[in-house]
Amino acid sequence: MKPSFFRHAACTGALLLSMMACADAANTAPKAATADGLMAAIQAAVGDAACDGPQHCRSIAVGAKPCGGPDGFLAWSSKRTDEKTLRSLVEQHAALRKQENLRNEMSSTCEIETNPGVVCQAARCTLLPRGQGSVPLDPR
Protein backbone atom coordinates (compact mmCIF):
# COMPACT_ATOMS: atom_id res chain seq x y z
CA MET A 1 0.00 0.00 0.00
CA LYS A 2 1.11 3.48 -0.77
CA PRO A 3 1.64 6.11 1.93
CA SER A 4 -0.99 8.33 0.29
CA PHE A 5 -3.64 5.67 1.04
CA PHE A 6 -2.90 5.94 4.77
CA ARG A 7 -2.98 9.73 4.61
CA HIS A 8 -6.31 9.61 2.80
CA ALA A 9 -7.73 7.12 5.32
CA ALA A 10 -6.50 9.23 8.24
CA CYS A 11 -8.06 12.38 6.77
CA THR A 12 -11.33 10.58 6.11
CA GLY A 13 -11.40 9.25 9.68
CA ALA A 14 -10.66 12.68 11.11
CA LEU A 15 -13.39 14.22 8.95
CA LEU A 16 -15.93 11.64 10.13
CA LEU A 17 -15.01 12.21 13.78
CA SER A 18 -15.33 15.99 13.43
CA MET A 19 -18.71 15.62 11.69
CA MET A 20 -19.93 13.41 14.53
CA ALA A 21 -18.74 15.94 17.09
CA CYS A 22 -20.59 18.72 15.25
CA ALA A 23 -23.76 16.64 15.13
CA ASP A 24 -23.53 16.01 18.89
CA ALA A 25 -23.01 19.72 19.52
CA ALA A 26 -26.04 20.58 17.38
CA ASN A 27 -28.19 18.14 19.36
CA THR A 28 -27.19 19.69 22.68
CA ALA A 29 -27.30 23.34 21.57
CA PRO A 30 -30.09 25.36 23.19
CA LYS A 31 -33.22 25.59 21.08
CA ALA A 32 -34.41 28.96 19.83
CA ALA A 33 -36.82 30.61 22.22
CA THR A 34 -40.50 30.27 21.43
CA ALA A 35 -43.38 32.46 22.55
CA ASP A 36 -44.85 29.51 24.48
CA GLY A 37 -41.50 28.77 26.12
CA LEU A 38 -41.06 32.40 27.12
CA MET A 39 -44.60 32.55 28.52
CA ALA A 40 -43.78 29.50 30.64
CA ALA A 41 -40.63 31.28 31.85
CA ILE A 42 -42.68 34.41 32.63
CA GLN A 43 -45.18 32.38 34.63
CA ALA A 44 -42.33 30.64 36.47
CA ALA A 45 -40.76 34.03 37.29
CA VAL A 46 -44.09 35.28 38.65
CA GLY A 47 -44.61 32.10 40.67
CA ASP A 48 -47.39 32.29 43.24
CA ALA A 49 -47.41 36.15 43.32
CA ALA A 50 -47.58 36.10 47.13
CA CYS A 51 -48.22 39.38 48.91
CA ASP A 52 -48.56 40.75 52.43
CA GLY A 53 -50.50 43.77 51.21
CA PRO A 54 -51.17 45.95 48.15
CA GLN A 55 -47.65 47.43 48.31
CA HIS A 56 -46.29 44.21 46.76
CA CYS A 57 -48.77 43.94 43.87
CA ARG A 58 -47.98 45.03 40.33
CA SER A 59 -49.31 44.26 36.87
CA ILE A 60 -47.45 43.94 33.59
CA ALA A 61 -48.60 43.93 29.97
CA VAL A 62 -47.82 40.68 28.14
CA GLY A 63 -47.88 39.59 24.52
CA ALA A 64 -48.54 41.63 21.41
CA LYS A 65 -51.72 41.95 19.36
CA PRO A 66 -51.43 42.28 15.59
CA CYS A 67 -53.01 45.77 15.72
CA GLY A 68 -50.66 46.80 18.53
CA GLY A 69 -50.81 46.75 22.29
CA PRO A 70 -50.59 43.77 24.64
CA ASP A 71 -52.63 40.55 24.59
CA GLY A 72 -53.42 41.11 28.25
CA PHE A 73 -52.01 41.70 31.71
CA LEU A 74 -50.46 39.55 34.39
CA ALA A 75 -50.39 40.16 38.16
CA TRP A 76 -47.06 39.73 39.94
CA SER A 77 -45.54 40.43 43.35
CA SER A 78 -42.48 42.54 44.07
CA LYS A 79 -42.07 40.38 47.17
CA ARG A 80 -41.23 37.26 45.12
CA THR A 81 -40.35 38.33 41.58
CA ASP A 82 -37.23 40.03 40.26
CA GLU A 83 -38.61 42.93 38.20
CA LYS A 84 -35.60 43.23 35.89
CA THR A 85 -35.77 39.54 34.94
CA LEU A 86 -39.53 39.66 34.48
CA ARG A 87 -39.39 42.76 32.26
CA SER A 88 -36.67 41.19 30.12
CA LEU A 89 -38.72 38.02 29.60
CA VAL A 90 -41.86 40.02 28.82
CA GLU A 91 -40.00 42.16 26.26
CA GLN A 92 -38.56 39.07 24.56
CA HIS A 93 -42.00 37.44 24.51
CA ALA A 94 -43.65 40.54 22.99
CA ALA A 95 -40.94 40.76 20.30
CA LEU A 96 -41.50 37.11 19.35
CA ARG A 97 -45.27 37.57 19.27
CA LYS A 98 -44.84 40.61 16.97
CA GLN A 99 -42.65 38.53 14.64
CA GLU A 100 -45.18 35.68 14.64
CA ASN A 101 -48.03 38.11 13.91
CA LEU A 102 -46.14 39.58 10.93
CA ARG A 103 -44.92 36.23 9.60
CA ASN A 104 -48.39 34.68 9.81
CA GLU A 105 -50.17 37.84 8.60
CA MET A 106 -52.37 37.76 11.69
CA SER A 107 -55.24 40.15 12.27
CA SER A 108 -57.35 40.87 15.31
CA THR A 109 -60.32 42.90 16.47
CA CYS A 110 -57.94 45.72 17.43
CA GLU A 111 -59.59 46.09 20.82
CA ILE A 112 -57.36 47.91 23.27
CA GLU A 113 -56.55 45.91 26.38
CA THR A 114 -56.53 48.14 29.42
CA ASN A 115 -54.80 47.41 32.65
CA PRO A 116 -57.54 46.22 35.03
CA GLY A 117 -55.49 46.95 38.14
CA VAL A 118 -54.33 44.52 40.77
CA VAL A 119 -55.09 43.80 44.43
CA CYS A 120 -53.68 41.62 47.17
CA GLN A 121 -56.43 39.10 47.77
CA ALA A 122 -56.04 35.99 49.96
CA ALA A 123 -52.28 36.75 50.17
CA ARG A 124 -51.90 36.66 46.38
CA CYS A 125 -51.65 39.46 43.83
CA THR A 126 -54.69 39.18 41.58
CA LEU A 127 -55.94 41.16 38.60
CA LEU A 128 -59.24 42.91 39.11
CA PRO A 129 -62.05 41.76 36.81
CA ARG A 130 -62.36 43.78 33.61
CA GLY A 131 -64.29 46.98 34.08
CA GLN A 132 -63.73 47.16 37.86
CA GLY A 133 -61.27 49.67 39.14
CA SER A 134 -58.47 51.26 37.24
CA VAL A 135 -54.76 51.71 37.51
CA PRO A 136 -54.00 54.77 39.66
CA LEU A 137 -52.30 57.59 37.79
CA ASP A 138 -48.64 58.15 38.52
CA PRO A 139 -48.51 61.19 40.87
CA ARG A 140 -45.24 62.45 39.34
Side-chain angles (χ1 to χ4, degrees):
M1 288 189 211
K2 296 184 178 183
S4 63
F5 170 80
F6 291 112
R7 259 183 289 181
H8 178 72
C11 287
T12 302
L15 179 61
L16 284 172
L17 286 173
S18 67
M19 287 171 51
M20 288 170 43
C22 288
D24 286 343
N27 289 336
T28 59
K31 304 278 189 255
T34 64
D36 289 342
L38 281 169
M39 183 51 76
I42 289 167
Q43 290 170 334
V46 168
D48 64 1
C51 56
D52 295 332
Q55 72 275 13
H56 294 130
C57 295
R58 310 279 187 277
S59 60
I60 192 164
V62 293
K65 285 190 171 189
C67 289
D71 287 320
F73 289 82
L74 195 63
W76 64 280
S77 171
S78 62
K79 179 179 175 180
R80 297 271 174 102
T81 302
D82 177 62
E83 183 174 6
K84 186 175 178 182
T85 300
L86 178 61
R87 290 200 181 280
S88 175
L89 290 168
V90 166
E91 287 171 12
Q92 292 173 57
H93 178 261
L96 277 178
R97 291 283 293 133
K98 287 176 187 175
Q99 290 173 0
E100 287 176 355
N101 291 338
L102 288 172
R103 183 176 54 249
N104 297 321
E105 298 178 1
M106 300 296 290
S107 62
S108 73
T109 60
C110 298
E111 291 179 279
I112 297 172
E113 294 293 328
T114 57
N115 190 334
V118 64
V119 295
C120 182
Q121 184 176 7
R124 182 168 187 216
C125 295
T126 307
L127 291 176
L128 289 169
R130 282 183 168 198
Q132 292 184 4
S134 63
V135 178
L137 295 175
D138 189 356
R140 288 185 257 176

